[in-house]
Amino acid sequence: SQELEQSPQSLIVQEGKNLTINCTSSKTLYGLYWYKQKYGEGLIFLMMLQKGGEEKSHEKITAKLDEKKQQSSLHITASQPSHAGIYLCGAYPLSSGSARQLTFGSGTQLTVLP
Amino acid sequence: DTGVSQDPRHKITKRGQNVTFRCDPISEHNRLYWYRQTLGQGPEFLTYFQNEAQLEKSRLLSDRFSAERPKGSFSTLEIQRTEQGDSAMYLCASSMAGQGAGEQYFGPGTRLTVT
């Protein structure tokens, strides 16, 4: 099975600071998806990366997928309290067994202090 | 369309009781997924429907769990003879076949507490 490891598990930053969250796979990723979850709520889709070296940005959040397609990073610039939540990376198994069930990392809990 | 909805949002039940959850996907989405999430963990896949057909089931889905999507629209997830280990957030997601794989849209979840 494919495992996704996220680091750090939790992060506390002062408002205005930059931060990076990492997601590492033991296998080459078919695609990498970033979601944000507010505590006790559902997941909000942020970005999808498929090509090695790909980088996408949305507002102050930038996600990158390395050339080997085994590691992704999520970078937030000038963090705000609205960025607080749990960030989850997800991926589909590379094997052809299933292209529909997402496997998730355990998440990174982000707290932004005003 | 307001997105994926789930009902109820919270359910407290006693061990041994049966519970049923409902998910209404985004109306034009033909794929529907159920996930389970425990505290401090990411969601774990349970099952997947394309239209009314249940195409995949995780090993996590024991015989006490059953899911249906009778008309290819809303879905129900039933847990029989609940156990304390069933306490979790149950998330439903939907997507459109052919859409960029992974763009699953999630509902707010149903939090189950088994006492």
Side-chain angles (χ1 to χ4, degrees):
Chain A
S1 63
Q2 178 168 280
E3 288 192 2
L4 293 174
E5 289 198 13
Q6 284 188 241
S7 63
Q9 286 188 323
S10 65
L11 194 53
I12 302 174
V13 300
Q14 202 72 39
E15 182 177 359
K17 295 295 185 183
N18 302 338
L19 64 105
T20 300
I21 297 168
N22 294 302
C23 177
T24 303
S25 171
S26 56
K27 300 180 181 180
T28 301
L29 297 165
Y30 174 68
L32 193 286
Y33 308 86
W34 284 100
Y35 285 84
K36 179 185 176 183
Q37 184 177 30
K38 292 279 191 181
Y39 181 75
E41 297 183 11
L43 280 64
I44 299 169
F45 174 77
L46 295 176
M47 278 175 276
M48 174 183 72
L49 304 165
Q50 282 193 304
K51 299 177 183 176
E54 188 174 8
E55 179 175 321
K56 287 187 178 178
S57 294
H58 176 68
E59 297 180 344
K60 294 185 178 180
I61 301 176
T62 300
K64 300 178 185 179
L65 182 63
D66 75 338
E67 289 289 344
K68 293 184 178 179
K69 297 175 65 174
Q70 285 187 286
Q71 184 166 6
S72 179
S73 60
L74 186 82
H75 184 78
I76 299 177
T77 304
S79 58
Q80 300 170 355
S82 61
H83 287 128
I86 301 168
Y87 288 83
L88 292 151
C89 62
Y92 288 110
L94 186 60
S95 67
S96 60
S98 172
R100 286 166 287 277
Q101 52 173 289
L102 276 170
T103 300
F104 287 93
S106 56
T108 295
Q109 171 81 56
L110 173 63
T111 302
V112 181
L113 302 175
Chain B
D1 193 6
T2 55
V4 180
S5 61
Q6 293 186 243
D7 184 69
R9 293 291 306 277
H10 303 275
K11 179 72 178 177
I12 301 174
T13 191
K14 292 185 177 179
R15 189 177 56 183
Q17 298 294 305
N18 299 342
V19 294
T20 300
F21 310 141
R22 177 180 170 121
C23 170
D24 286 88
I26 293 172
S27 57
E28 62 267 28
H29 285 183
N30 56 358
R31 290 182 173 174
L32 187 147
Y33 316 78
W34 285 99
Y35 291 83
R36 181 173 69 185
Q37 186 179 25
T38 53
L39 199 62
Q41 299 297 317
E44 294 175 295
F45 172 82
L46 291 179
T47 190
Y48 152 73
F49 290 84
Q50 179 149 322
N51 300 313
E52 65 275 6
Q54 187 174 20
L55 298 184
E56 289 182 33
K57 290 170 64 174
S58 164
R59 288 169 296 175
L60 292 174
L61 212 64
S62 75
D63 55 7
R64 295 185 299 105
F65 288 69
S66 62
E68 294 183 343
R69 193 183 183 198
K71 297 183 180 179
S73 56
F74 73 92
S75 174
T76 58
L77 177 69
E78 181 183 17
I79 309 174
Q80 296 182 326
R81 305 181 303 280
T82 52
E83 302 172 357
Q84 288 188 322
D86 296 331
S87 295
M89 174 79 90
Y90 290 84
L91 294 162
C92 175
S94 70
S95 72
M96 189 67 181
Q99 188 178 36
E103 289 189 42
Q104 297 182 18
Y105 294 86
F106 282 78
T110 294
R111 181 168 295 283
L112 173 66
T113 303
V114 181
T115 61

